[in-house]
Amino acid sequence: MRQFHFWQKISKRCLLAGLLIFTMAADLPASGVHGVHPQSLNANRQARNFAEWLELKQTQQLQVERAVRQTQYQRVIVMSPEHKQAQPERKKVETIKVLATGYTAGYESTGKKPSHPQYGITYSGVKVRRDKDTVSTIAADLKIFPLGTILYIPGYGYGVVADKGSAIRGHKIDLYFDTIKQVYKEWGKKEVEVQVVRKGEGKLTEAMLRELGKVMEVSKEIPDNLWDKAI
């Protein structure tokens, strides 16, 4: 009798344990770890990767379309008559071949001695000057190069027409140097092609020459309205 009760208790406990295990198993998902099936995980990853790839392609496409529109817009602006009128036209630099000779303010070139009241004074009224960094005074045929004409002479630099001479006719110019030694050492007589930077209007003053020197110290660009403030 005691054995019967013992086995009865054992059977009840086993039954309860079995029911508990069955209940826990029913609550667990039928998939792998954390209730996520491996196939479902791979599918989610693929979907997310596809979405990111699609978003990237759409972004790249938008960037390409934006760049194309910008290029088309710039072409329209550049080709428009208003834009062409607003753009300043580049100046065509005139080049002329001349025979250039060096000269000084001394008696050998001008017939004037240092005691002469007009010694070193040019036809324009400005004093002769030689400045390699900015501009020097030169002499020319005023029919071809009026007073105030700015030339660029290769090997000499910038020169402004300030003087004339009886022997200077046609395509000839005289380049000023401080001494005869400099004339022979640095120049002598050469045939060169000069660039006409700015045509003069037949006038040159000390104020204009100073203004030109200031501009040349800052930049080699010479504006069209250079003489406006100086005249």
Side-chain angles (χ1 to χ4, degrees):
M1 191 67 177
R2 291 179 178 177
Q3 291 179 355
F4 174 78
H5 287 295
F6 172 77
W7 288 110
Q8 189 177 14
K9 291 180 180 181
I10 292 297
S11 299
K12 288 180 179 180
R13 290 178 179 177
C14 290
L15 180 60
L16 290 173
L19 290 173
L20 180 61
I21 293 172
F22 178 80
T23 303
M24 292 175 63
D27 291 336
L28 291 173
S31 57
V33 182
H34 300 298
V36 180
H37 196 278
Q39 295 181 354
S40 176
L41 181 62
N42 292 333
N44 290 336
R45 286 179 179 174
Q46 293 177 358
R48 186 168 61 254
N49 292 339
F50 177 76
E52 292 175 353
W53 175 83
L54 182 61
E55 182 180 0
L56 179 61
K57 294 296 291 183
Q58 291 175 347
T59 302
Q60 293 176 344
Q61 183 66 25
L62 289 174
Q63 292 175 347
V64 171
E65 292 177 357
R66 190 179 297 112
V68 171
R69 287 197 300 270
Q70 183 67 20
T71 302
Q72 293 174 347
Y73 173 76
Q74 291 176 350
R75 288 178 179 175
V76 171
I77 291 296
V78 169
M79 295 301 294
S80 66
E82 294 81 2
H83 179 79
K84 289 183 178 180
Q85 293 177 0
Q87 293 294 322
E89 295 183 359
R90 292 185 177 180
K91 288 185 176 181
K92 294 181 179 179
V93 179
E94 183 182 4
T95 302
I96 301 177
K97 183 179 290 186
V98 299
L99 180 62
T101 307
Y103 84 106
T104 69
Y107 185 83
E108 66 283 344
S109 296
T110 64
K112 299 175 184 177
K113 295 181 179 181
S115 59
H116 195 286
Q118 293 297 313
Y119 181 84
I121 303 301
T122 64
Y123 176 76
S124 64
V126 303
K127 189 173 179 61
V128 290
R129 61 179 291 179
R130 171 65 175 137
D131 191 337
K132 295 180 180 180
D133 296 326
T134 58
V135 63
S136 305
T137 56
I138 63 175
D141 187 342
L142 302 185
K143 293 181 181 179
I144 298 177
F145 303 115
L147 291 176
T149 298
I150 303 172
L151 304 178
Y152 177 76
I153 305 98
Y156 180 78
Y158 287 91
V160 57
V161 177
D163 208 350
K164 66 175 184 176
S166 58
I168 305 174
R169 292 291 183 267
H171 293 79
K172 294 181 180 181
I173 60 175
D174 272 3
L175 311 180
Y176 175 74
F177 291 89
D178 293 323
T179 65
I180 298 177
K181 183 178 180 180
Q182 290 177 340
V183 171
Y184 288 106
K185 182 179 180 181
E186 298 181 23
W187 195 263
K189 181 182 290 188
K190 298 179 183 179
E191 192 175 61
V192 293
E193 289 188 353
V194 300
Q195 295 178 357
V196 182
V197 179
R198 188 184 189 281
K199 204 72 174 288
E201 298 178 358
K203 183 179 180 180
L204 182 66
T205 64
E206 287 289 350
M208 296 167 67
L209 194 55
R210 284 194 299 270
E211 189 69 21
L212 176 58
K214 291 178 183 178
V215 172
M216 298 300 293
E217 286 178 358
V218 178
S219 172
K220 295 299 183 182
E221 294 293 331
I222 301 175
D224 292 335
N225 61 346
L226 171 67
W227 306 131
D228 292 351
K229 296 180 180 180
I231 294 175

